[in-house]
Amino acid sequence: MRVKRGSNRKDRRKKILNLAEGYWGGKSRLHRTAKIQVEKSLQYAYRDRKQRKRQFRSLWITRINAAARLNGMSYSTLIAGLKGAGCELDRKVLADLAVRDPQAFGQLVELAKQKA
């Protein structure tokens, strides 16, 4: 008796083409090129989930440094002073304070100056 495979091939191809929706030209229409591009796109997505974390940390450090210099202190001495004072705020929170509440950030700078 012969094997009837049903819609497996069509389903597998449809899954790839659905993932390739919005790609330019044949990459969204032709199975072989779509498959290659979808694989590459998934690699980019994996890599960039890691890079996003690095980029945000870098952004927070830039913002903290800018706010610290407005208060007459460098980033490194601020962080060292806060560590010495036992302040456990992370860079994400410090950057948010620097942008949204400069007065509170200024108080943290004063605390760091005492401990530096």
Side-chain angles (χ1 to χ4, degrees), residues 63-74 98 102 105-106 109 113:
R63 287 180 175 173
I64 294 166
N65 188 27
R69 288 184 186 280
L70 287 175
N71 287 286
M73 197 172 212
S74 73
F105 188 81
V109 170
K113 279 181 182 172

Side-chain angles (χ1 to χ4, degrees), residues 62-107:
T62 303
R63 287 180 175 173
I64 294 166
N65 188 27
R69 288 184 186 280
L70 287 175
N71 287 286
M73 197 172 212
S74 73
Y75 169 80
S76 57
T77 53
L78 171 69
I79 294 297
L82 289 175
K83 289 248 188 295
C87 177
E88 293 187 10
L89 294 176
D90 62 5
R91 286 163 180 78
K92 181 179 179 180
V93 174
L94 286 171
D96 194 53
L97 275 175
V99 172
R100 294 176 193 266
D101 193 357
Q103 286 182 326
F105 188 81
Q107 291 173 344

Side-chain angles (χ1 to χ4, degrees), residues 20-116:
E21 203 172 280
Y23 293 171
W24 191 84
K27 290 177 182 179
S28 67
R29 296 185 205 100
L30 307 173
H31 177 258
R32 186 182 297 180
T33 52
K35 185 178 173 188
I36 292 167
Q37 187 57 51
V38 164
E39 265 181 35
K40 191 67 176 168
S41 298
L42 290 172
Q43 287 172 354
Y44 286 141
Y46 176 82
R47 180 197 69 188
D48 292 342
R49 280 195 297 275
K50 314 293 177 213
Q51 283 190 352
R52 185 189 315 143
K53 293 165 183 62
R54 291 178 219 154
Q55 289 166 354
F56 267 106
R57 184 182 170 91
S58 174
L59 175 68
W60 298 330
I61 288 171
T62 303
R63 287 180 175 173
I64 294 166
N65 188 27
R69 288 184 186 280
L70 287 175
N71 287 286
M73 197 172 212
S74 73
Y75 169 80
S76 57
T77 53
L78 171 69
I79 294 297
L82 289 175
K83 289 248 188 295
C87 177
E88 293 187 10
L89 294 176
D90 62 5
R91 286 163 180 78
K92 181 179 179 180
V93 174
L94 286 171
D96 194 53
L97 275 175
V99 172
R100 294 176 193 266
D101 193 357
Q103 286 182 326
F105 188 81
Q107 291 173 344
L108 284 171
V109 170
E110 291 305 316
L111 177 72
K113 279 181 182 172
Q114 292 168 4
K115 296 293 179 179

